Amino acid sequence: MQNTRFLLKLGLYKSGEMIYFSQLDLIHILARALRRTNLPLYYTQGFNPRVKISFSSGLKLGTQGRVDTTFYFTEQISHEKLKTELQPQLPEGLEIIKDDVKC
């Protein structure tokens, strides 16, 4: 059972065609991209576990801008490792813009 979780906060920038994807779509896109990496992901507890991701606030549909995102892991990892593993898995229009946000 996973009891320990480590938080890592990043800023993502949504632009281009990605502005037409809702916040719920963004959650699914990020979860799929994270599962493609070899990172130690933290999953929610319960009958249907999901990759744990949270946002400080969402963007309106059709607007571009920054989304502050918190990722949860079972082990401590660096911002650089997350960025190098995750960025190639993200679609065009969704970029990691800030990797020095402190938890």
Side-chain angles (χ1 to χ4, degrees):
M1 182 176 227
Q2 305 173 17
N3 291 333
T4 307
R5 64 181 179 180
F6 298 93
L7 284 71
L8 195 58
K9 296 184 180 184
L10 288 179
L12 298 173
Y13 192 77
K14 209 167 95 167
S15 64
E17 294 293 318
M18 285 301 298
I19 66 171
Y20 300 111
F21 287 86
S22 69
Q23 189 72 16
L24 185 58
D25 292 331
L26 185 60
I27 292 169
H28 293 300
I29 289 168
L30 287 173
R32 182 176 296 147
L34 283 167
R35 284 193 304 266
R36 290 179 183 156
T37 65
N38 292 323
L39 299 172
L41 304 175
Y42 182 86
Y43 288 87
T44 59
Q45 305 298 309
F47 183 73
N48 190 12
R50 297 169 190 240
V51 175
K52 177 93 171 140
I53 304 169
S54 61
F55 300 93
S56 60
S57 64
L59 287 175
K60 288 184 184 178
L61 189 65
T63 59
Q64 69 179 16
R66 177 186 167 146
V67 180
D68 289 326
T69 311
T70 304
F71 299 97
Y72 298 85
F73 299 99
T74 58
E75 300 172 10
Q76 188 73 35
I77 65 167
S78 67
H79 286 91
E80 294 80 24
K81 181 172 181 165
L82 177 60
K83 186 174 181 177
T84 58
E85 291 276 335
L86 185 59
Q87 188 63 56
Q89 304 301 329
L90 294 177
E92 185 178 333
L94 191 59
E95 296 181 33
I96 298 172
I97 57 168
K98 189 174 183 184
D99 60 358
D100 60 351
V101 179
K102 301 298 179 204
C103 296

